[in-house]
Amino acid sequence: MTWLVRALTCATVFVAPLEGYLLQVHGHLAKVPPALLVTAWAVLRVRQRRVPEPHPAHLVLAALAVVLLASWAVHAGGPYATGYALRWLPFLVVAVVLIDVVSREVPVRAVLAATVAGAVVAAVGALLGMVAEGQTRAAGPLEDPNDLAYFLVAALPLLVALRHRVLTATAAVVLAAGAAATFSRGGALALTAAVAWLLARRALPLRALAGGVAALAALGVAAVLFAGPELDRAVREKTHVAGTNVDTRELRWQAAARMVADHPALGVGPGGFREGYPAASHNAEIDEQTPVAHNMYLEVAAELGVPGFALFVALLALTAVVSERVRRTTTDPMPVVAVQASLIAVVVASTFLSQQYYLPLWSLVAVVAAADLRLRRTSDVACAPRDQ
């Protein structure tokens, strides 16, 4: 059962960026690995007669679940309420399970390696798709290129925690090339912030950064030489779309702010932003009546109200504080620094995207809490002989 839990944990984070490919095979296939993980974890803990070791993150996740269920109950009649509540709840459950299994059975580096591996496969699929299908922007297994950029940029910083230099360098080039091919401005800002953090923490040597930039530049030159017209078309299309995106996102952010002001207690319910957008925006977008907010924080605040938003931000703040405490006290800080940089990428990218429904945010929170529990357990064992 222990090995099964380890395999399912790695499979869960591995398939997260490949959701689109799995959905093409079967509508529920993407749900299988996390469902099996939760089941195997429950069976293992029953056999061991052991409950999860408590962590402050559990309290925040539980309170967030209560607010979510309350908001769902109030707005259960909405067309999206049940569907979106059932999207939220599995992430909260999986986060709790990941905290427990990574703190005991699954090495932190194994989870990070599986996360990177899934992102690399997604990047390769996206790049091959551009070549084979003549796409102007890489999307691969995901419908939106910006979502793909989110996964790839979140995975890139994790490479500094992995030890195989050749594989790490290769993966870095593939992920960076895939992210660049999405032409995502939010992804570029998120990657810049993550790299700046790694440089500040001296986790990323300047020589390695320079080598990566040189390799990416060489790929860019090759793309211009062999696919110049297609690249020019992609840039022109992105330039046209970019201006429209700025206007529409401003409209959606304003509508989300109005929803928060009108429904501060429990928001407009899970998925309520999509339902209420035409009224809140005064039909500002005739051709798009049920969009997402393209801002994780505003969308959470609009749908779960001020209490839900406060708990969501508290979870991020708790993760940041705990990660820094672990970094300062652990004998192996590199994985934690890598996770910190990845979290920074997630936080920045989510300013422009609604990413609460993707796994990287929740898995990174879980890894930090699990590392904290591991460190506590080690400290307790080390201090025990002195206390006797």
Side-chain angles (χ1 to χ4, degrees), residues 219-294:
L219 289 175
V221 171
V224 171
L225 292 176
F226 293 100
E230 291 80 3
L231 186 61
D232 181 64
R233 179 163 60 95
V235 171
R236 283 188 280 107
E237 288 183 5
K238 174 59 181 178
T239 302
H240 173 72
V241 171
T244 304
N245 284 346
V246 171
D247 296 334
T248 57
R249 287 181 183 180
E250 183 178 356
L251 291 171
R252 296 174 190 183
W253 295 353
Q254 291 173 351
R258 293 190 193 103
M259 293 180 187
V260 177
D262 293 340
H263 305 274
L266 290 173
V268 294
F273 178 85
R274 299 186 67 183
E275 177 190 0
Y277 178 69
S281 67
H282 309 297
N283 275 321
E285 294 183 72
I286 301 300
D287 58 341
E288 183 57 90
Q289 295 289 292
T290 58
V292 295
H294 274 288

Side-chain angles (χ1 to χ4, degrees), residues 3 19 31 35-36 54 124 143 280 283 344 369 374:
W3 281 103
E19 178 180 339
K31 302 174 184 177
L36 290 177
V124 170
E143 184 177 351
N283 275 321
I344 289 172
R374 280 178 176 267

Side-chain angles (χ1 to χ4, degrees), residues 341-359:
S342 184
L343 274 168
I344 289 172
V346 166
V347 167
V348 172
S350 297
T351 305
F352 311 98
L353 300 168
S354 298
Q355 298 300 333
Q356 65 271 31
Y357 303 113
Y358 287 118
L359 188 60

